[in-house]
Amino acid sequence: MESMKDKEGVVITATELKQNLGKYLDFVEEQNDVVITKNGSKIARLTPYVTDIEQYFIVRENALDYQYGGKKVSYEEFIEISEKSTLRMEFINGEIYLLASPNIGHQEILARLYLTFNDYFKGNKCRVFFAPFDVHFKKNNIKEPDVMQPDLLVACDLEGNVTEKGRYMGTPALVIEIISDSSRSKDMITKLDTYRLSGVREYWIIDPKQESIMVYVFTDHEIDSVKSYEKAADAKSQVFNGLSVNVDALFLELLSP
């Protein structure tokens, strides 16, 4: 009898298990569950072995997702939560978002961008910062700010906008997000709106999957222009004359996650 799948995993009969034990042990080793049935009823489950420490982190992560992920709080409550937590989190439209650890390809792209941008702004009053770095975005006509961690940002208003605790409270002139499948919608819609409404002048979206760069320019809280740059092109800033990134060079020989 052939196996079938349901939401609990692959479902097989006890007879099938006896006849193909090695096959299903390999299947479980690849982090899959196997549910065994007898006379049409589910009687047992084979699951991947999890050590005590792995189990601890799984339970902890699920608990934190339940406690914080998607929770609606005020700006003041978020500040209190974030200051007491070691988690990376963002606060957008009154909701808390937990941030996953970036993969190796993301970090390699970020490093290349930082080197290019830092070299361009050397000797300039503008400074380049990269995540994790909280920025409090004060949106036009909206009381509560959003708190986000752009992958990379250019701050030209540091004077008078750094608190005694060393926190930046200004508005970046340029921000960059390196998107993934899980963050695509948030980066291209939700974050775009926050950056537009808060007075950011330029927003770059780096898409490793499509190997492309989109550059949005905002004027008076509205989209002034948007350009897409793909292979063999140089993505150019419309705000900072001469600042550009070659698309091919940015994605050349990236390490796979």
Side-chain angles (χ1 to χ4, degrees):
M1 180 180 294
E2 294 185 356
S3 62
M4 60 180 182
K5 288 186 177 181
D6 70 5
K7 63 182 180 180
E8 295 182 294
V10 171
V11 181
I12 62 171
T13 64
T15 301
E16 172 72 7
L17 177 65
K18 291 177 182 177
Q19 294 174 345
N20 297 281
L21 179 60
K23 168 186 172 182
Y24 290 109
L25 287 178
D26 290 342
F27 192 76
V28 172
E29 191 175 10
E30 294 173 0
Q31 303 300 305
N32 300 290
D33 283 2
V34 175
V35 177
I36 301 104
T37 66
K38 186 175 182 180
N39 299 324
S41 299
K42 295 175 181 178
I43 60 168
R45 180 202 302 268
L46 292 177
T47 62
Y49 176 73
V50 178
T51 64
D52 290 342
I53 189 64
E54 288 172 331
Q55 182 65 31
Y56 165 77
F57 282 114
I58 290 171
V59 171
R60 181 176 182 271
E61 183 176 344
N62 290 340
L64 291 170
D65 283 341
Y66 178 79
Q67 184 177 0
Y68 294 127
K71 185 174 182 179
K72 287 280 188 178
V73 297
S74 69
Y75 172 71
E76 290 74 18
E77 288 172 326
F78 170 78
I79 297 302
E80 185 178 353
I81 291 170
S82 62
E83 287 181 347
K84 294 179 179 178
S85 175
T86 58
L87 298 172
R88 288 184 61 208
M89 56 180 70
E90 294 182 317
F91 178 70
I92 306 174
N93 298 328
E95 188 170 328
I96 294 176
Y97 292 86
L98 298 181
L99 300 179
S101 297
N103 63 38
I104 192 170
H106 177 286
Q107 293 302 88
E108 195 166 15
I109 291 172
L110 181 57
R112 293 176 183 182
L113 287 169
Y114 177 78
L115 290 173
T116 298
F117 274 67
N118 194 54
D119 184 63
Y120 175 87
F121 288 104
K122 196 170 293 182
N124 190 297
K125 73 170 185 176
C126 301
R127 302 291 290 271
V128 184
F129 301 96
F130 53 86
F133 187 89
D134 283 344
V135 182
H136 301 244
F137 292 93
K138 304 172 186 69
K139 296 181 289 185
N140 188 41
N141 295 325
I142 297 176
K143 181 181 178 181
E144 289 197 324
D146 289 345
V147 183
M148 301 194 298
Q149 296 184 3
D151 286 315
L152 185 143
L153 65 93
V154 177
C156 301
D157 60 349
L158 290 168
E159 188 175 351
N161 282 312
V162 178
T163 69
E164 293 180 356
K165 293 183 178 181
R167 296 187 182 277
Y168 172 62
M169 300 302 289
T171 300
L174 184 153
V175 295
I176 293 180
E177 296 286 2
I178 303 168
I179 67 175
S180 62
D181 288 341
S182 61
S183 72
R184 185 175 299 272
S185 177
K186 184 172 68 169
D187 290 338
M188 298 189 72
I189 300 174
T190 310
K191 286 193 172 185
L192 187 149
D193 278 344
T194 292
Y195 296 145
R196 174 178 63 85
L197 292 171
S198 64
V200 169
R201 297 172 65 192
E202 191 165 277
Y203 176 33
W204 290 34
I205 298 177
I206 312 296
D207 190 338
K209 190 173 184 179
Q210 301 297 326
E211 295 192 353
S212 67
I213 301 174
M214 294 185 70
V215 177
Y216 286 85
V217 177
F218 306 125
T219 302
D220 296 328
H221 308 293
E222 296 294 341
I223 296 175
D224 187 31
S225 67
V226 56
K227 293 185 179 181
S228 180
Y229 300 89
E230 298 181 351
K231 291 183 178 180
D234 289 329
K236 299 178 180 179
S237 170
Q238 304 303 305
V239 172
F240 297 102
N241 186 39
L243 175 60
S244 66
V245 172
N246 181 266
V247 176
D248 286 348
L250 183 63
F251 300 111
L252 180 65
E253 297 179 351
L254 287 176
L255 293 173
S256 300

